[in-house]
Amino acid sequence: MENELLNSGNANQRIKEEMKTLSDQINFHNYQYYILDNPTISDYDFDLLLEKLIALEKQYPELILPDSPTHRVGGTVTKNFKTVKHRYPMLSLGNTYSTQELTEFDTRIHSLVHEPVEYVCELKYDGVAISLLYENGLLVQALTRGDGLQGDDVTANVKTIKSIPLKLQGQYPSRFEVRGEIILSHQQFETLNREREEIGEAAFANPRNAASGSLKLQESTEVAKRGLDSRLYFLIGENLPSQHHYDRLQLLAKWGFRPLDVISKASSIQEVFAFIKEWDIKRKSLPFDIDGIVIKVNSLTQQQQIGFTAKNPRWAIAYKFKAERVSTQLLSVDFQVGRTGIVTPVANLHPVQLSGTVVKRATLNNYDFIETYDIHQNDFLFVEKGGEIIPKIVGVDLEKRETGSPKIGFITQCPQCGTDLVKNEGEAGIYCPNELHCPPQIKGKLEHFISRKAMNIDSLGEGKVEMLFEKGLVKNIADFYSLHYNNLLGLEKTISGEEGKPDRIISFKEKTVDNILAGLKASLKVPFERVLFALGIRFVGETTAKKLARHFANIEALSNATIEELMQVEDIGERVASSIVNYFIQPENLEIILKLRNAGVQFQISENISQGENKLNGKTFVVSGIFSIPRDVMKQKIEYYGGKNSTSISKNTDFLLAGENMGPEKLKKAEKLVIPIISEHQFYAMIGEA
Ligand code: IVH
């Protein structure tokens, strides 16, 4: 008995050590990738390490390390964020837009410190303020600012942000807090909004709102997908090393935090002005938003001498960039109808130059926006472009309003199909409820259905779908599967080129028709969860579709579910549940589903990949070069047929799938290791799609 205990103790110890080694390796590679931008391992090998650790943690959950990198992929669900008191209040900074006030700040500093003063200039990141507590080198708590005295505990969500170390390196203090911003890049912001618009969710107005919304998501797995980033610029605690802010920032980098993009010392206010001037230009090409420059006194001894006002430190100030603003006349308003029926008013403006581009159009967002700003015909509107990329309307120049000019009325009927528009209580927008017959909504649904994340029928692009719709061949998503060779061959459409570009002719020759039919046939293998997403049910995005598919397993069970039953599914609230119920009570939708099912589309989950779909049987592929389809789609195909992808060639590679212009190094290595090199055509033959 004793021996057994001893043995299990030993085994536990071994597993613990293995978990630690794996954690350390993964943390090291994360640091190389996200902080130093210098990966030293292939994505595939990295995933292998992570998978190994995940498997061990599943088996021995009691041994999970607090700095385990698996926290990065999330998995925690927070229903209510706990409110926690800040150990040190989270102060804000005094703001100014004027260089005159900066000079006054400098004068004030010199009246309090009678020795040379050095400033540190930093970018003012336009994100969400965060305070991170580290104890013995481990991230133990992340709090939002809240009201400055207490904030929300968002630790699980913050742990998914790759640039925030879970475990520190080097000689760090045993306990301290580090403060900074959680930001979202322009690129991640645009991707996120595109995805939201796809499913009828309101877009975020700017990256800051998107970052803030993401931090408050209940599921950390979802946060992990948002691509949040961080910049940390302030250290606080007791007995901390160094008496200079600049040096502390260098220490942060040594401990594993992402270094700030720029930090500059200035020995006079003139040098501060030069820094501001430089970054007022350079900020336009940064991949994220900044809204100003922060100026801090470098010496901590001097900071203490200078002290605080009631609200802010007196030793620092934020200089905010003025957003460029012009006033221009409103010529007319267009009302656009989107895929989910939401009507968006768009202002046509008298063309005007603003921060380097000519602005002719700007969104008026929604019904509430027009009401709130009380916009009248021919009004002069203020248009602004700040850190953001997109110009926005920020007000009405009332002095220039023509007397008697009428208010802009919001249309009451859909400009596309004439149906009476609907405004739901508590929603800012107005929408056309005729989702089954309103042309832009049908077209949007068709385009969504074939899109990559849905049925992935890439042989049918937007232009082709539009033509099929206009010619009356496809009126709903089920009609795609009634297309046949004879009604497609010879179809033609001229698309007039925009702004001086030549016209484009779409014409269906034999090869095009073959590709379309092959694409439709291949889509019959798309799994149920993606089919569910492809149906285009309002508010059912990729993740929701996955959860629904797993929960209900087939379309019958889902279509019969009540609102209450739907709300049993993790993360599904009343709004989504009633949208699903509403979809399934419409006979037209049921008819579409029936037709799709008869065509062979998947309407139930497949537990095990069937024989036919497991043709690649665990074989490892390296895909390189250019193919007739995007490379990531090729990789999806490999996985779909039961194969694996790897980025680098090793003795474990089974096939090198070679496209055009593939890297000569890969070719050489494959030849050396005698790995079969196959063409795209040979690959299709392997999976039976040739
Ligand atoms: S220092 C006690 N540095 O801007 C000093 N703040 O308008 C703490 N911010 O509250 C703040 N970039 O949320 C500092 N480089 C930077 C910053 C920065 C953005 C935010 C921060 C602050 C607000 C002031």
Side-chain angles (χ1 to χ4, degrees):
M1 178 70 185
E2 213 167 78
N3 239 346
E4 237 172 64
L5 272 180
L6 267 180
N7 281 344
S8 82
N10 276 343
N12 264 3
Q13 192 53 34
R14 263 206 325 277
I15 288 153
K16 245 187 195 163
E17 274 163 21
E18 189 176 353
M19 279 169 137
K20 168 132 186 21
T21 315
L22 283 167
S23 283
D24 286 349
Q25 281 176 339
I26 298 167
N27 281 336
F28 168 79
H29 291 301
N30 261 334
Y31 179 74
Q32 291 291 122
Y33 188 95
Y34 289 101
I35 308 285
L36 302 183
D37 208 3
N38 177 30
T40 48
I41 184 175
S42 72
D43 287 0
Y44 180 73
D45 290 335
F46 180 85
D47 288 345
L48 281 186
L49 291 176
L50 197 61
E51 274 166 26
K52 220 165 159 183
L53 182 60
I54 291 173
L56 278 177
E57 290 187 349
K58 227 182 196 165
Q59 215 178 338
Y60 305 97
E62 70 283 4
L63 301 181
I64 299 179
L65 291 160
D67 66 322
S68 168
T70 57
H71 293 296
R72 302 265 191 228
V73 282
T76 312
V77 179
T78 319
K79 282 280 176 224
N80 293 305
F81 294 96
K82 214 169 54 196
T83 306
V84 178
K85 197 166 172 291
H86 289 294
R87 282 168 198 79
Y88 307 90
M90 262 184 102
L91 299 177
S92 186
L93 297 177
N95 278 338
T96 178
Y97 287 93
S98 95
T99 47
Q100 170 63 31
E101 282 183 20
L102 277 188
T103 310
E104 286 163 20
F105 163 81
D106 182 52
T107 313
R108 203 161 47 239
I109 299 283
H110 281 97
S111 71
L112 295 165
V113 180
H114 305 290
E115 56 181 359
V117 174
E118 188 172 50
Y119 294 117
V120 176
C121 304
E122 293 163 22
L123 304 182
K124 178 163 156 38
Y125 297 95
D126 197 5
V128 185
I130 196 86
S131 186
L132 309 175
L133 172 64
Y134 283 84
E135 282 178 351
N136 302 319
L138 298 179
L139 171 62
V140 292
Q141 190 175 61
L143 300 180
T144 61
R145 186 206 306 273
D147 62 3
L149 298 175
Q150 49 183 28
D152 285 338
D153 184 330
V154 287
T155 315
N157 286 350
V158 164
K159 280 187 174 175
T160 67
I161 303 173
K162 308 280 198 315
S163 58
I164 292 185
L166 302 177
K167 186 182 184 183
L168 304 179
Q169 321 167 356
Q171 296 283 305
Y172 43 80
S174 58
R175 182 187 167 103
F176 67 92
E177 278 183 44
V178 58
R179 292 180 174 173
E181 306 284 303
I182 304 298
I183 57 169
L184 193 70
S185 70
H186 295 148
Q187 201 190 351
Q188 295 286 358
F189 168 68
E190 277 168 27
T191 311
L192 175 61
N193 266 353
R194 237 188 337 244
E195 285 170 4
R196 287 173 71 82
E197 276 165 15
E198 275 268 287
I199 60 159
E201 289 275 12
F204 285 114
N206 54 49
R208 184 181 1 95
N209 288 359
S212 161
S214 304
L215 270 189
K216 291 292 183 62
L217 285 172
Q218 293 186 332
E219 269 197 273
S220 60
T221 332
E222 289 304 302
V223 186
K225 292 184 198 154
R226 296 265 168 116
L228 295 171
D229 202 348
S230 65
R231 295 296 187 276
L232 299 154
Y233 44 67
F234 187 58
L235 203 55
I236 190 163
E238 269 127 61
N239 302 323
L240 300 182
S242 170
Q243 283 308 300
H244 289 91
H245 173 68
Y246 186 92
D247 299 340
R248 286 190 164 182
L249 291 179
Q250 312 294 325
L251 283 175
L252 281 177
K254 281 203 180 124
W255 301 338
F257 294 94
R258 193 189 196 296
L260 292 184
D261 306 83
V262 51
I263 339 168
S264 182
K265 286 185 190 170
S267 49
S268 67
I269 200 72
Q270 280 68 33
E271 284 181 31
V272 171
F273 291 149
F275 183 87
I276 289 175
K277 200 167 160 206
E278 179 187 344
W279 281 95
D280 197 6
I281 296 168
K282 285 191 180 163
R283 73 186 164 114
K284 289 168 189 151
S285 42
L286 281 171
F288 48 80
D289 283 351
I290 63 167
D291 58 346
I293 297 297
V294 176
I295 301 117
K296 300 172 183 169
V297 167
N298 191 14
S299 151
L300 269 69
T301 323
Q302 291 180 355
Q303 285 185 6
Q304 267 164 10
Q305 262 174 280
I306 300 163
F308 295 81
T309 67
K311 282 194 295 188
N312 306 317
R314 217 192 287 269
W315 43 261
I317 192 164
Y319 173 84
K320 298 218 347 178
F321 293 125
K322 270 188 228 96
E324 266 187 70
R325 174 189 281 208
V326 286
S327 132
T328 187
Q329 195 168 24
L330 174 67
L331 303 176
S332 61
V333 179
D334 289 341
F335 292 91
Q336 293 177 345
V337 185
R339 173 173 81 83
T340 52
I342 294 280
V343 180
T344 308
V346 180
N348 292 309
L349 303 165
H350 188 273
V352 64
Q353 188 80 33
L354 181 64
S355 287
T357 54
V358 177
V359 178
K360 292 187 239 171
R361 277 162 78 78
T363 180
L364 291 167
N365 300 299
N366 51 47
Y367 175 84
D368 279 5
F369 187 90
I370 296 190
E371 283 294 299
T372 313
Y373 283 100
D374 184 31
I375 301 170
H376 289 229
Q377 278 178 27
N378 304 328
D379 264 355
F380 278 77
L381 304 178
F382 289 119
V383 191
E384 224 179 68
K385 217 163 142 190
E388 319 80 22
I389 334 129
I390 304 155
K392 58 174 191 234
I393 289 172
V394 291
V396 179
D397 192 347
L398 288 176
E399 282 175 15
K400 291 194 185 160
R401 175 167 290 167
E402 290 169 6
T403 35
S405 93
K407 235 178 117 155
I408 295 284
F410 208 93
I411 47 170
T412 52
Q413 278 156 350
C414 175
Q416 298 286 334
C417 71
T419 305
D420 285 347
L421 298 178
V422 174
K423 178 163 172 25
N424 282 339
E425 193 64 32
E427 285 181 16
I430 285 195
Y431 74 98
C432 165
N434 184 19
E435 58 168 321
L436 291 164
H437 305 109
C438 177
Q441 293 191 61
I442 305 173
K443 239 190 291 176
K445 271 202 156 74
L446 297 175
E447 277 154 10
H448 170 72
F449 185 77
I450 61 153
S451 66
R452 193 180 291 183
K453 288 181 174 166
M455 301 303 273
N456 190 22
I457 310 171
D458 57 356
S459 48
L460 272 172
E462 271 182 30
K464 290 181 190 141
V465 169
E466 194 167 289
M467 171 163 79
L468 293 172
F469 174 67
E470 283 167 6
K471 301 225 185 254
L473 285 168
V474 175
K475 298 193 189 75
N476 61 49
I477 53 176
D479 290 344
F480 280 125
Y481 295 93
S482 307
L483 294 172
H484 47 84
Y485 200 83
N486 292 341
N487 61 11
L488 289 174
L489 191 69
L491 290 181
E492 227 175 63
K493 181 185 171 180
T494 307
I495 300 176
S496 48
E498 278 166 33
E499 298 192 357
K501 286 192 194 129
D503 289 354
R504 192 160 66 91
I505 297 175
I506 300 185
S507 103
F508 282 6
K509 307 236 169 64
E510 279 166 30
K511 178 113 190 354
T512 322
V513 176
D514 282 343
N515 282 343
I516 294 175
L517 295 176
L520 283 163
K521 192 170 159 209
S523 76
L524 298 180
K525 289 178 182 149
V526 166
F528 178 43
E529 59 193 47
R530 271 172 53 201
V531 173
L532 208 48
F533 171 59
L535 293 179
I537 306 172
R538 201 153 183 235
F539 305 133
V540 176
E542 257 185 299
T543 314
T544 308
K546 243 182 227 166
K547 285 181 183 158
L548 289 169
R550 274 185 216 142
H551 189 95
F552 291 101
N554 61 52
I555 197 88
E556 280 78 29
L558 175 65
S559 62
N560 289 325
T562 60
I563 295 200
E564 292 71 34
E565 283 162 354
L566 285 160
M567 283 170 70
Q568 305 275 306
V569 184
E570 190 191 0
D571 248 15
I572 293 197
E574 199 174 341
R575 189 181 62 136
V576 183
S578 32
S579 160
I580 297 168
V581 168
N582 186 42
Y583 178 88
F584 286 109
I585 51 173
Q586 303 192 49
E588 284 102 328
N589 287 333
L590 297 178
E591 203 179 309
I592 288 173
I593 290 172
L594 196 67
K595 276 195 193 156
L596 288 171
R597 162 175 289 178
N598 288 341
V601 171
Q602 303 291 325
F603 278 110
Q604 61 183 38
I605 52 164
S606 55
E607 283 299 348
N608 297 310
I609 295 173
S610 72
Q611 270 307 306
E613 288 162 354
N614 200 13
K615 288 171 184 148
L616 301 181
N617 195 22
K619 294 268 183 283
T620 301
F621 286 74
V622 172
V623 180
S624 180
I626 301 163
F627 301 90
S628 65
I629 56 174
R631 200 163 38 224
D632 52 344
V633 178
M634 192 60 113
K635 289 184 176 173
Q636 274 177 20
K637 269 192 198 294
I638 291 177
E639 280 168 21
Y640 177 73
Y641 285 102
K644 285 190 215 139
N645 286 295
S646 165
T647 45
S648 58
I649 295 181
S650 71
K651 60 179 187 336
N652 298 327
T653 310
D654 292 298
F655 295 100
L656 169 62
L657 176 47
E660 263 174 59
N661 288 337
M662 70 160 293
E665 282 306 313
K666 281 213 170 84
L667 208 55
K668 241 200 265 161
K669 200 158 175 197
E671 278 165 2
K672 198 168 148 209
L673 296 173
V674 211
I675 286 161
I677 302 167
I678 56 164
S679 67
E680 182 173 358
H681 187 73
Q682 284 168 312
F683 174 72
Y684 288 142
M686 252 175 167
I687 56 173
E689 283 190 12

